[in-house]
Amino acid sequence: MDFLTIKLQTASHFSIVFLIKRFKISQIQFSSFFYRSFFYLLHRLNMLFEEDKYRFMHAALKEAEKAFEKDEVPIGAVVVHNGKIIGRGHNQTESLNDATAHAEMIAITSASATLGSKFLDECEIFITAEPCLMCSGAIILSRISKIYFGTFEPKFGAAGSVYDVFGNKNGLEIYSGLMADESRNLLHAFFSKMR
């Protein structure tokens, strides 16, 4: 967690406390509807990414939810070209009995089929969790230009957590923390359910 993230979370907390004291309402009266609405507004004011980036990451989260429903590790990915989703994928390693059936691999394969090209150099990929070594290699080889991911992966992450595969790979841009809480919460819910 970087300084900016801590600063934004602290500002959000103090803003809620201020509203509760200012309008003399209890925390119970500050219902979940208002809570969500308030955070939505704060989120809009403090957006670190452009609005369409959140929309694409939301689509990746929807893919992750599909994996969750199938008792797969809930990771989802979408590939975007010129503002349009051209490839989607979610983990299917258990259902396909295939260790390579990661969300990123499936989304990249789908995007390549859509464009009719093995190179996706004008594309962006949105992933709910940091890519592993295998998926990072596929991203590099497919020449995707930008990576957006949600939460870091402390066991297998290859974009800085455990490994740093990307380094300075020909102008590849990597952005982390996009909807990280939502991605992390889904993973925690899955692993709690599996215990």
Side-chain angles (χ1 to χ4, degrees):
M1 187 178 305
D2 61 7
F3 177 73
L4 182 60
T5 304
I6 293 168
K7 186 176 176 183
L8 290 176
Q9 287 176 347
T10 303
S12 300
H13 172 73
F14 285 120
S15 299
I16 288 175
V17 171
F18 169 77
L19 280 178
I20 290 171
K21 287 181 180 177
R22 171 72 172 92
F23 296 105
K24 296 182 174 89
I25 57 176
S26 71
Q27 288 185 354
I28 295 169
Q29 290 172 321
F30 199 70
S31 70
S32 63
F33 170 75
F34 292 111
Y35 190 81
R36 284 193 308 266
S37 299
F38 176 72
F39 266 107
Y40 174 76
L41 289 173
L42 272 180
H43 180 68
R44 297 279 300 183
L45 293 173
N46 295 318
M47 286 177 70
L48 299 175
F49 299 94
E50 296 169 8
E51 188 173 353
D52 64 333
K53 306 306 181 202
Y54 289 95
R55 186 167 40 92
F56 296 134
M57 185 57 84
H58 187 265
L61 278 164
K62 288 291 182 194
E63 289 296 316
E65 289 171 2
K66 290 178 187 176
F68 185 90
E69 291 167 4
K70 296 177 183 177
D71 291 332
E72 299 272 1
V73 176
I75 296 176
V78 297
V79 176
V80 175
H81 181 256
N82 292 333
K84 182 180 174 193
I85 296 174
I86 60 166
R88 298 174 184 268
H90 57 273
N91 275 1
Q92 297 181 47
T93 58
E94 299 298 324
S95 55
L96 296 178
N97 200 27
D98 179 359
T100 66
H102 288 199
E104 301 93 314
M105 303 295 280
I106 294 168
I108 289 169
T109 301
S110 175
S112 292
T114 300
L115 290 183
S117 172
K118 65 181 178 181
F119 298 124
L120 304 172
D121 44 6
E122 294 179 5
C123 296
E124 304 170 327
I125 189 166
F126 294 79
I127 316 160
T128 57
E130 180 182 14
C132 68
L133 281 168
M134 173 184 66
C135 296
S136 297
I139 290 167
I140 291 168
L141 291 174
S142 64
R143 299 184 186 167
I144 288 175
S145 62
K146 294 180 184 175
I147 302 169
Y148 295 87
F149 69 88
T151 188
F152 282 95
E153 216 296 357
K155 289 186 180 178
F156 302 107
S161 293
V162 181
Y163 309 100
D164 188 10
V165 171
F166 298 106
N168 294 323
K169 298 288 186 225
N170 303 322
L172 175 66
E173 297 176 35
I174 304 169
Y175 302 94
S176 63
L178 179 57
M179 300 182 77
D181 290 340
E182 294 87 340
S183 301
R184 191 178 311 107
N185 291 342
L186 192 56
L187 285 166
H188 284 294
F190 173 76
F191 288 113
S192 294
K193 182 177 87 167
M194 289 294 133
R195 286 188 197 128

